Amino acid sequence: MGCAVERVTERRAIAAGVDRWNETVPGLGIEKWHVERSLFAPFDGVSVCCLAVGSEPRAFAVLKRLNRATPTYDATDTAWLSLFAFTDRAAGRELLDWITTDLRERDISELSVGGAPQHLLAGIPEQLPESHVETLTEAGLDVKGRVYDLHRDLADYAVPDRCRAVRDERSDLELVSATDHDSDLHRLLADQFPGRWQYEAANICRRPGGASDYWLLRTGDEPVAFVRSNRHDGPYRGPNLNWGAQFGDSYCGVGPLGVHEDYRGEGLGLYATAAVVDRLAAAGYDHCVIDWTDHLPFYDRLGFEPFQTYRTAGIDLCG
């Protein structure tokens, strides 16, 4: 017997679906602030669709799409499965089949698990029950590599000697908040990082105080690198804060970061990150999280260690 898939829009029904996820993966519980940020206040051009089977529900999914190209980001051929949980495996499979059929009819070419704008998850978390993973693969999704969330206790944080050496050798370097240099930030992103990072910055900086989440490394008056930071009490609670509360009440996050192509290979990315973490530690934050990365050796130099593992997964809907 087929299962009726319904779009749910009422907050109570969406909360029931989120509860289904929280019961399935209690260690990665979605809180109200996650829901408000990711589902009810999406970035420009992002369409959020919540789907359920049954009123309980027996299966629930959150799907995101960029429904129109923005001036800085065109991923209109991609959809993201942001949450997926069920109590009835047949209902879960029926829901996935409905999703892939619907996306094909909309000429969407790729469905990825996690990694959406304002993502809740970077992929399939290792805590997801094997029955759910098997249901995803049975529906045609290919499980690929691994990415990680990292953590560092800031109680004993100190800028590494190798980063201090970069600063000593380059007296022209200056780390500044983008609060008073937002035009420089957007110019650097447009020139060097057009796409998702530029798109995210445009959305975050539209919020009151949003530019204060960004830092610029400058040589003279020229920006050569950027780093984004988020704070639990800051203007925008980015995805790198999703699971920070498990470490305490005072936490922050760092990333993404990027270095101008003319200045790569000089240690500036590591230096800028170390300097931003140092500012956050000095401001009284006790823990720092970096989300969705496979650059473990890079961040290990600053003392960050993995605490959460995800498997990346997706399906080519044109195949």
Side-chain angles (χ1 to χ4, degrees):
M1 180 181 295
C3 306
V5 176
E6 297 183 354
R7 299 176 187 270
V8 293
T9 57
E10 294 184 358
R11 284 179 176 266
R12 181 177 298 179
I14 292 171
V18 171
D19 286 344
R20 181 67 64 238
W21 168 268
N22 290 344
E23 293 163 1
T24 304
V25 191
L28 295 176
I30 304 301
E31 300 180 23
K32 289 183 178 179
W33 72 266
H34 294 118
V35 173
E36 292 300 319
R37 180 205 68 197
S38 189
L39 306 189
F40 289 106
F43 282 170
D44 181 35
V46 173
S47 173
V48 180
C49 181
C50 298
L51 301 164
V53 176
S55 58
E56 301 84 5
R58 289 182 288 143
F60 178 75
V62 175
L63 197 67
K64 287 189 174 185
R65 291 192 301 112
L66 194 66
N67 55 29
R68 60 180 173 80
T70 72
T72 61
Y73 188 43
D74 182 4
T76 53
D77 60 346
T78 301
W80 296 273
L81 186 63
S82 292
L83 284 182
F84 174 64
F86 58 78
T87 55
D88 179 335
R89 186 164 177 172
R93 177 59 191 274
E94 186 78 10
L95 178 54
L96 286 176
D97 289 344
W98 187 96
I99 288 170
T100 54
T101 298
D102 181 71
L103 292 177
R104 286 189 174 99
E105 292 175 352
R106 297 174 184 272
D107 294 324
I108 303 299
S109 60
E110 181 181 359
L111 173 65
S112 295
V113 179
Q118 300 169 287
H119 63 272
L120 295 168
L121 304 163
I124 301 173
E126 61 181 357
Q127 300 96 321
L128 191 68
E130 194 60 31
S131 60
H132 284 61
V133 179
E134 291 173 354
T135 302
L136 289 166
T137 57
E138 288 169 0
L141 280 87
D142 182 23
V143 178
K144 305 172 185 177
R146 283 178 165 78
V147 292
Y148 306 89
D149 292 344
L150 315 179
H151 164 257
R152 195 197 197 287
D153 188 322
L154 298 183
D156 61 346
Y157 180 77
V159 175
D161 290 342
R162 65 191 303 164
C163 296
R164 294 182 181 277
V166 170
R167 179 66 180 86
D168 292 343
E169 293 170 3
R170 299 286 300 270
S171 60
D172 58 332
L173 292 178
E174 180 185 22
L175 183 73
V176 298
S177 168
T179 300
D180 297 321
H181 304 278
D182 57 328
S183 60
D184 287 341
L185 169 67
H186 296 301
R187 177 163 57 89
L188 174 65
L189 292 171
D191 178 49
Q192 292 293 307
F193 307 102
R196 178 160 177 158
W197 288 353
Q198 183 187 9
Y199 166 76
E200 289 178 341
N203 279 273
I204 292 170
C205 290
R206 284 191 294 108
R207 290 165 163 77
S212 67
D213 283 343
Y214 284 87
W215 300 84
L216 287 171
L217 184 66
R218 303 194 306 177
T219 173
D221 292 330
E222 286 300 311
V224 297
F226 84 95
V227 179
R228 193 178 90 204
S229 65
N230 295 114
R231 295 151 286 154
H232 75 91
D233 55 352
Y236 178 70
R237 301 181 76 178
N240 50 30
L241 300 180
N242 282 353
W243 321 122
Q246 66 184 275
F247 300 109
D249 295 330
S250 180
Y251 56 95
C252 59
V254 170
L257 68 104
V259 178
H260 191 292
E261 60 182 350
D262 292 343
Y263 294 86
R264 293 171 192 166
E266 301 178 22
L268 298 186
L270 189 68
Y271 167 73
T273 307
V276 169
V277 174
D278 190 49
R279 297 283 183 94
L280 294 167
Y285 295 98
D286 297 327
H287 300 272
C288 188
V289 172
I290 293 168
D291 75 310
W292 189 9
T293 183
D294 59 0
H295 300 303
L296 300 188
F298 178 87
Y299 291 111
D300 178 66
R301 297 169 188 164
L302 301 179
F304 284 88
E305 298 180 346
F307 73 93
Q308 176 63 48
T309 303
Y310 307 90
R311 284 175 284 181
T312 58
I315 180 173
D316 180 354
L317 297 171
C318 298

